[in-house]
Amino acid sequence: ASLANGASLLTLMAMVSFKQDERDGDFLNKPRALQNLPRQNPLRALLEGWAECSGKYDPEKLSPLLQKAVSNRFFLVENKPGSPTFVVRDVGNGYSRSAEYWLSKAIGHRVEDQPDHAYGKWLAEVYANVLRTGTPSLDDVDAVITWPQQPRISYRYQRLVMPFASTRDSTLLLSATVIDSGIDLRVKPA
């Protein structure tokens, strides 16, 4: 069955207004100072790679770093001038099996067009902030994500997002993550 007026599923998802209060507290982050990133942290090598690239995206230089430092846990998104959207251009294969299905189909779609739309919208806001400042961001993240036909799953990780100029008239953002089960940003009852 086709959708009325030829509207695609993605168009409908973009029009859906999710009640934010239903997901309050699901996506928490704590900013970290880049200069305090320890030398032994795998994200340090990526940050140094970003500096060596002088703001230009160099896949030949960055791909080995992504493999070695973060076991290919990365998202590469693109933003064109004047556009509020971030389109997925590449995804590493180091994510959990829960995410595999969507990630295998993510390239070419907006960041928020994933099964957990609220999580995607939250990520898009993080990317927009990096785009606005033009500087990398480092955060501890404690997120509860909902995948189809699965219970809600808690993910705790450290995330580094770095902006790059692309060969086209656009900005690329590279988001790399390292799982860290020691991160716990949930408020504890007294």
Side-chain angles (χ1 to χ4, degrees):
S2 66
L3 298 171
N5 300 329
S8 71
L9 177 58
L10 295 179
T11 303
L12 289 174
M13 285 180 69
M15 295 184 321
V16 172
S17 174
F18 291 93
K19 293 180 183 173
Q20 184 56 41
D21 61 341
E22 291 177 4
R23 300 297 300 270
D24 274 352
D26 278 3
F27 315 119
L28 305 174
N29 66 304
K30 180 179 180 181
R32 294 288 183 186
L34 291 168
Q35 66 270 21
N36 295 338
L37 189 59
R39 281 243 166 259
Q40 68 274 18
N41 187 308
L43 296 173
R44 169 61 76 177
L46 289 174
L47 186 59
E48 290 171 356
W50 173 81
E52 290 171 15
C53 290
S54 302
K56 303 281 188 212
Y57 186 71
D58 183 350
E60 290 179 14
K61 180 181 228 31
L62 294 168
S63 291
L65 285 174
L66 290 166
Q67 172 60 43
K68 183 177 181 186
V70 295
S71 303
N72 276 336
R73 287 181 54 86
F74 73 90
F75 255 71
L76 180 67
V77 299
E78 180 178 31
N79 175 265
K80 294 184 179 176
S83 172
T85 63
F86 296 89
V87 176
V88 179
R89 293 295 173 219
D90 196 9
V91 179
N93 60 5
Y95 290 97
S96 70
R97 289 183 50 87
S98 302
E100 278 180 18
Y101 179 79
W102 179 79
L103 294 176
S104 69
K105 297 173 180 358
I107 295 173
H109 294 281
R110 298 177 319 153
V111 167
E112 57 264 45
D113 293 334
Q114 55 183 294
D116 190 333
H117 189 73
Y119 178 67
K121 285 182 77 165
W122 181 72
L123 287 177
E125 290 172 14
V126 170
Y127 297 156
N129 188 52
V130 172
L131 182 67
R132 191 170 34 262
T133 65
T135 60
S137 74
L138 176 67
D139 293 281
D140 289 346
V141 176
D142 189 343
V144 178
I145 301 173
T146 304
W147 295 103
Q149 291 89 38
Q150 295 188 25
R152 293 162 40 94
I153 300 171
S154 178
Y155 292 92
R156 295 174 176 168
Y157 55 93
Q158 199 164 50
R159 174 185 59 219
L160 175 65
V161 182
M162 301 163 287
F164 291 92
S166 78
T167 55
R168 303 185 286 204
D169 185 27
S170 63
T171 301
L172 296 172
L173 299 176
L174 179 63
S175 174
T177 60
V178 176
I179 294 174
D180 185 343
S181 59
I183 293 172
D184 186 358
L185 304 179
R186 305 282 153 194
V187 176
K188 308 292 185 268

